[in-house]
Amino acid sequence: MATKHEKIIKHIESLPIGEKISVRLIAKAMDVSEGTAYRAIKDAENHGLVSTIQRVGTIRIEKKRKEAIKNLTFSEVLSVIEGEVLGGEKGLQKTLTKFIIGAMKEEAMVRYISKESLMIVGNREEAQRLALENGAAVLITGGFGTEKEIIDLANGKELPLMTTSYDTFTVAAMINRAMTDQLIKKEIMLTEDIYTKLNQTEYLSVDDTVDDYRKLNEASGHTRFPIVGKSNRLVGIVTAKDVIGKQDKMKIDRVMTRNPYYVKTHMSVASVAHTMIWDGLEVMPVVKDDLTLKGIISRQDVMKAMQSAQRQPQMGDTIADQINRLIKVPEETMESSETMELKFSVTPQMTNNVGTISFGVLSEVVSESAYKALASVHKRNLVVEQMSLHYFKLIQFGAEITIIPKIFDIGRKSARMDIELYSENGLAAKAIVVCQLIQKN
């Protein structure tokens, strides 16, 4: 007979995707205490049946299959940017494939918009409508709201419509960072990804004999088997070494190793590998929290998984990476800090809502220019400790900036630089940068 906890889990599974869930509603619907309902909802969250989202609440979600490389969902993006949902809550569990910054005219946006993408835009209702109509979610920066018509459209399309108080560059940097972190997370492979399930696992019970072990050993070719007792709970493990010289009729529980090492599905493959190598184990049973046997994991499984993880890409491409690549040192530049000139082209992604370079991007350009100046001329590495940046003239996307870094003070542990940035209209920005120097090994 199913327990109250199991009945609540089944009830949650039967709810439609996007349905809001609360302890009080579950307790009332299932006629249980709020404490029982709370524990069941937490268990459902651990199993990926529900998700709790800030300012939205707990909602029923579709249980996602694990993939080799996981994408961010819009609910995770919402958490990263500390945003608020205006509409389209049912689409929060959809995955984000890419994001676009809406710094251009509507007619130019269409070719960049695709399904499951995210349009980052300010208080431009027409751009918001265009994105939703073409299958993209919308994130409104600057803390702005929007019209009821746009909210209704988001609800009808089941596409998240979110708002955040951060500016466009900050939001783009935060999402880039989250995407990179998500790519790194996929390297952390769990036991549940690779273990052999119970229906494919050979095992013995405490009532079996040494003769049963030998028959199973001959039929399967394996030498190590978990031993289970009542309710299929793990009680031990038996190996070929344990049965040497033992009589066929001897019960297996008299020769098995009791209290064996075991694994749970949420444990990382790396930690399992460490235990196996350290203790010389070839096989470990995989169990539930109550020690019910779920399967086994072998050293061979672990080694294959670790080799596969090494072949996966480990890093995403952030805006800082893009800026670094876009800063060019012309070949004709002489190796002197007095005459060095760097070139940088502004892309649309690096602009704010009015199409000019974001102050945050400009700060990153200055930092990277300081690094390149010292790295190429003085072969020194650095950390920027202070920066005084003055932005005189607006620099629009597509503009080419000439950057002139000048080192006016350098010592053993620090350096000070004057960095000027010129656009087509003359001096556009100027910065004084104080750096801590790091000795390269």
Side-chain angles (χ1 to χ4, degrees):
M1 184 176 178
T3 64
K4 290 181 179 179
H5 183 89
E6 291 170 341
K7 288 179 179 178
I8 296 171
I9 296 295
K10 287 183 179 179
H11 172 70
I12 292 173
E13 286 179 333
S14 68
L15 295 174
I17 305 301
E19 183 82 7
K20 284 194 175 183
I21 296 172
S22 71
V23 170
R24 185 172 297 176
L25 288 173
I26 293 294
K28 185 176 180 181
M30 301 300 296
D31 193 23
V32 296
S33 69
E34 291 191 358
T36 301
Y38 175 79
R39 286 190 292 273
I41 291 173
K42 281 297 176 186
D43 190 31
E45 187 170 5
N46 292 335
H47 286 83
L49 297 173
V50 302
S51 178
T52 301
I53 302 169
Q54 190 176 11
R55 297 187 181 92
V56 175
T58 302
I59 62 172
R60 171 76 169 94
I61 63 172
E62 184 176 1
K63 190 171 182 179
K64 296 175 288 183
R65 295 175 297 175
K66 293 181 77 70
E67 299 174 354
I69 298 179
K70 300 176 186 175
N71 289 318
L72 286 178
T73 63
F74 290 112
S75 66
E76 290 166 336
V77 170
L78 185 69
S79 176
V80 167
I81 62 170
E82 300 175 12
E84 182 180 349
V85 178
L86 300 177
E89 290 178 10
K90 291 185 178 180
L92 284 170
Q93 294 309 314
K94 292 179 179 178
T95 56
L96 169 66
T97 57
K98 69 173 185 178
F99 66 86
I100 314 114
I101 295 178
M104 57 198 86
K105 293 182 179 180
E106 285 79 11
E107 55 267 25
M109 288 182 185
V110 178
R111 61 179 178 150
Y112 296 103
I113 300 173
S114 60
K115 289 185 178 180
E116 296 187 352
S117 62
L118 175 66
M119 172 66 74
I120 303 175
V121 70
N123 56 336
R124 297 171 57 193
E125 282 79 9
E126 287 304 316
Q128 297 163 17
R129 182 182 293 105
L130 182 67
L132 291 168
E133 288 175 345
N134 285 274
V138 173
L139 172 58
I140 305 171
T141 58
F144 294 107
T146 190
E147 299 174 351
K148 184 178 183 302
E149 179 189 349
I150 304 295
I151 296 173
D152 292 341
L153 179 60
N155 289 330
K157 296 277 189 178
E158 295 186 2
L159 291 168
L161 176 62
M162 303 170 284
T163 183
T164 179
S165 58
Y166 290 111
D167 65 86
T168 303
F169 171 74
T170 303
V171 165
M174 293 166 81
I175 296 175
N176 255 319
R177 181 73 261 170
M179 284 179 162
T180 301
D181 290 344
Q182 201 72 7
L183 284 168
I184 295 171
K185 282 180 183 178
K186 68 97 179 70
E187 183 188 8
I188 306 173
M189 197 173 294
L190 304 180
T191 300
E192 66 177 332
D193 298 322
I194 65 169
Y195 81 101
T196 302
K197 307 297 188 294
L198 186 63
N199 59 358
Q200 298 176 306
T201 298
E202 303 286 357
Y203 59 95
L204 296 166
S205 75
V206 290
D207 296 324
D208 289 325
T209 64
V210 170
D211 185 51
D212 292 319
Y213 167 85
R214 288 174 175 147
K215 289 176 180 177
L216 188 59
N217 166 238
E218 186 177 347
S220 66
H222 299 147
T223 59
R224 296 169 174 80
F225 304 104
I227 310 299
V228 298
K230 293 181 179 179
S231 302
N232 221 38
R233 289 184 178 174
L234 179 72
V235 294
I237 194 165
V238 64
T239 69
K241 182 180 177 181
D242 297 324
V243 302
I244 293 175
K246 302 298 189 294
Q247 296 181 356
D248 287 348
K249 293 183 179 180
M250 186 177 287
K251 286 288 186 71
I252 206 74
D253 64 345
R254 293 182 59 187
V255 299
M256 71 182 183
T257 300
R258 297 181 182 275
N259 303 316
Y261 288 102
Y262 57 79
V263 183
K264 294 185 179 179
T265 53
H266 67 269
M267 295 174 66
S268 71
V269 171
S271 67
V272 175
H274 182 271
T275 302
M276 283 185 155
I277 293 169
W278 186 260
D279 293 290
L281 304 174
E282 293 293 332
V283 170
M284 293 178 71
V286 181
V287 299
K288 297 180 182 179
D289 290 338
D290 62 358
L291 296 185
T292 300
L293 185 67
K294 293 190 69 175
I296 60 169
I297 185 169
S298 69
R299 184 181 289 196
Q300 186 178 15
D301 295 332
V302 170
M303 296 307 295
K304 284 182 179 178
M306 299 293 279
Q307 289 170 6
S308 174
Q310 291 298 321
R311 291 193 294 268
Q312 297 290 340
Q314 303 305 319
M315 293 298 292
D317 190 19
T318 66
I319 283 186
D321 297 328
Q322 295 174 35
I323 290 172
N324 183 274
R325 286 199 306 270
L326 288 170
I327 296 178
K328 305 296 183 184
V329 183
E331 292 181 3
E332 63 271 15
T333 295
M334 295 175 62
E335 291 191 358
S336 166
S337 61
E338 295 298 322
T339 58
M340 172 172 281
E341 285 190 5
L342 307 175
K343 300 291 184 181
F344 177 78
S345 297
V346 182
T347 66
Q349 190 180 19
M350 297 173 184
T351 60
N352 53 29
N353 292 332
V354 294
T356 59
I357 191 169
S358 163
F359 191 85
V361 171
L362 200 59
S363 301
E364 190 69 34
V365 170
V366 169
S367 296
E368 289 293 337
S369 300
Y371 174 82
K372 283 185 180 293
L374 277 167
S376 62
V377 178
H378 293 277
K379 311 300 180 187
R380 305 291 292 274
N381 208 342
L382 65 88
V383 174
V384 174
E385 289 199 330
Q386 296 179 37
M387 181 190 301
S388 177
L389 175 60
H390 301 277
Y391 190 2
F392 305 127
K393 296 179 181 179
L394 297 180
I395 305 170
Q396 66 180 11
F397 71 87
E400 186 176 83
I401 303 173
T402 299
I403 307 162
I404 302 179
K406 297 178 182 178
I407 304 169
F408 60 83
D409 182 36
I410 186 167
R412 190 168 60 89
K413 293 185 178 180
S414 65
R416 286 184 288 177
M417 304 177 67
D418 175 273
I419 299 178
E420 295 179 339
L421 298 94
Y422 293 86
S423 70
E424 56 188 12
N425 296 321
L427 183 65
K430 184 179 178 69
I432 301 295
V433 179
V434 179
C435 310
Q436 177 189 347
L437 301 181
I438 301 171
Q439 185 65 43
K440 285 188 176 181
N441 294 324

